[in-house]
Amino acid sequence: MKINHAVLHVLDFVSCVNVMSHEEIDLASKNAKRYVTGHAKRALSNLDNKRGEFAGDSMFAEEIRSYFRGQRDFVDLSIQVAEFIAGELGRMEKTPSTDVLVIDFEDETKAAVGDMTDEEIDAAFEGHGKRYFALFLLEARQAFMHEVGRGESGEVLVDIERHHAILPNPSQKVQSFALVEKGTMNVLFCDKAREIAGEERWLIPDGLLQCSMKPSGKEMFDTVARIVEEVAEEYGANPAVAVSKAKAYVAESSQESEEVYPEELGREVFEDDALQKRFEEAVAEEALPERVVVGKAVAERVAKNHKIRTDTGIEITFPAEYSQSPEFIEFVSEPNGLISIELKNIGRIENK
């Protein structure tokens, strides 16, 4: 990952003093660069990222396009962003002090050529990855710290004080952030509803970006998995096997595309025509699109393995692809209505 620019602005709603930085963060500092890079990487791979597209009359979209064309100064644009956020948060009844981190970075992760647009392929040959304009709302938190000074006797005194402006660690999730990709102008973001001037609003998608708010890949996957489980239970099929087959399909499909076709998934999971038809009806009832964007990160981290827990307290985690063949694991419905699970071809067992 390459950090091109980064700047930090302070919105202090305790002292009612905002500090706008007119200089960029010194990325020669290893600590600063590590902090900025950590948040950029975590945001890019966040499974809860919602997707959005700018509205046709989005003023922010025009500002970003001008910036990517080199017609806007980075720091100047970041100050404009911070001032807007300060104005909106200032209308809340109780607002935590918040720092606004703005980053211009390039993700140099290599993708398969088949998954890349013509612009992305050209950029790859030029040695560049996808470029993003990102902003983060870093809510300050309180923490206790030691303070070294002199006591009344003049001797060294180590006391305990409370610090009111601790930034979230780069390993922590940030609740509100947005990334805009230069090539496609697609938006990834996370946010929470806030009560601003007595009205519940989504500050980032509705107020700042003026973009649509589509479910995250994880939310879409969870919806599909839930429908699979419900249809299986309704028709007396084994829901554990059905969901694991759905995960295996998503994991395999992600090797070629970030999109999943629910109708095709239903045919892969359910062999019976009645179950396939019921699954398609349930998908229609949920108003799922013909193509569902799941994303490779979700497929790799959520769909790769399947975990089950029996009513006897036994937990088993296995690769979802094993559900496609009884070579390694097999679920058998017994005449008495109980279920037997057989694990096969095991060379050795390790304690965990």
Side-chain angles (χ1 to χ4, degrees):
M1 178 171 289
K2 178 185 177 185
I3 307 297
N4 297 320
H5 306 282
V7 67
L8 186 67
H9 305 293
V10 179
L11 310 183
D12 191 338
F13 294 100
V14 176
S15 64
C16 298
V17 176
N18 299 331
V19 181
M20 301 298 171
S21 176
H22 290 266
E23 295 286 340
E24 295 183 24
I25 295 172
D26 181 9
L27 296 175
S29 165
K30 290 184 178 179
N31 286 333
K33 189 172 184 179
R34 185 180 298 114
Y35 187 84
V36 171
T37 303
H39 279 301
K41 285 184 175 179
R42 176 168 281 275
L44 204 55
S45 62
N46 195 325
L47 299 186
D48 297 319
N49 282 346
K50 296 183 183 296
R51 298 172 183 269
E53 295 178 358
F54 285 112
D57 57 352
S58 169
M59 296 178 63
F60 188 82
E62 289 305 311
E63 296 287 356
I64 287 293
R65 289 190 180 97
S66 295
Y67 170 70
F68 282 137
R69 288 195 296 261
Q71 299 169 344
R72 284 297 309 270
D73 177 71
F74 173 76
V75 172
D76 181 58
L77 178 57
S78 73
I79 291 176
Q80 183 177 332
V81 168
E83 288 178 341
F84 174 84
I85 292 172
E88 292 296 290
L89 294 182
R91 297 195 294 155
M92 294 178 62
E93 184 174 339
K94 187 176 181 181
T95 307
S97 292
T98 303
D99 285 9
V100 179
L101 175 64
V102 184
I103 312 172
D104 176 331
F105 72 93
E106 294 174 32
D107 176 31
E108 298 175 338
T109 304
K110 301 298 181 182
V113 173
D115 297 335
M116 300 167 68
T117 64
D118 292 340
E119 292 80 5
E120 291 168 344
I121 293 174
D122 290 340
F125 276 109
E126 294 173 6
H128 303 294
K130 290 183 177 180
R131 184 180 172 191
Y132 294 87
F133 182 91
L135 59 99
F136 301 80
L137 305 192
L138 307 178
E139 292 188 4
R141 60 185 177 86
Q142 296 182 0
F144 290 95
M145 58 181 290
H146 68 255
E147 185 174 84
V148 180
R150 296 283 178 178
E152 294 180 0
S153 65
E155 297 297 326
V156 174
L157 169 67
V158 180
D159 210 344
I160 298 174
E161 292 293 337
R162 176 177 288 181
H163 200 291
H164 294 269
I166 301 297
L167 294 175
N169 290 324
S171 60
Q172 291 179 297
K173 281 188 176 182
V174 175
Q175 288 186 316
S176 297
F177 64 84
L179 306 98
V180 181
E181 200 271 309
K182 176 185 176 183
T184 62
M185 288 295 288
N186 287 337
V187 180
L188 296 175
F189 69 91
C190 278
D191 199 13
K192 60 182 179 180
R194 295 174 171 85
E195 187 170 322
I196 299 175
E199 178 184 353
E200 186 174 278
R201 292 186 61 195
W202 291 78
L203 175 58
I204 289 182
D206 294 340
L208 178 65
L209 303 183
Q210 298 158 25
C211 70
S212 60
M213 184 165 61
K214 299 179 180 179
S216 68
K218 186 176 183 300
E219 288 174 324
M220 296 298 286
F221 174 79
D222 289 344
T223 298
V224 172
R226 174 178 55 79
I227 294 173
V228 167
E229 183 175 9
E230 290 174 352
V231 170
E233 290 178 342
E234 182 181 343
Y235 281 79
N238 190 316
V241 174
V243 174
S244 62
K245 284 184 176 181
K247 286 187 174 183
Y249 170 82
V250 171
E252 184 178 351
S253 298
S254 69
Q255 302 301 316
E256 299 180 359
S257 172
E258 293 192 340
E259 297 178 330
V260 171
Y261 295 81
E263 186 175 336
E264 186 176 317
L265 181 147
R267 291 195 296 268
E268 187 71 22
V269 172
F270 301 114
E271 297 180 359
D272 188 277
D273 291 342
L275 274 73
Q276 291 179 16
K277 183 178 180 181
R278 178 68 190 104
F279 175 78
E280 292 173 6
E281 292 174 350
V283 166
E285 291 168 3
E286 292 282 345
L288 290 182
E290 181 181 345
R291 295 180 297 175
V292 173
V293 178
V294 174
K296 291 186 178 181
V298 173
E300 290 174 359
R301 292 162 59 183
V302 178
K304 185 177 181 180
N305 294 317
H306 187 54
K307 183 176 182 178
I308 60 175
R309 180 185 178 90
T310 69
D311 57 2
T312 56
I314 298 174
E315 294 185 356
I316 302 174
T317 301
F318 60 92
E321 62 186 31
Y322 285 3
S323 63
Q324 307 282 40
S325 170
E327 183 179 355
F328 298 103
I329 185 170
E330 186 173 13
F331 296 80
V332 179
S333 297
E334 303 292 352
N336 60 3
L338 299 179
I339 300 172
S340 295
I341 303 174
E342 184 177 356
L343 306 180
K344 305 178 181 179
N345 295 318
I346 299 172
R348 59 190 175 88
I349 297 176
E350 296 180 2
N351 291 313
K352 294 289 187 179

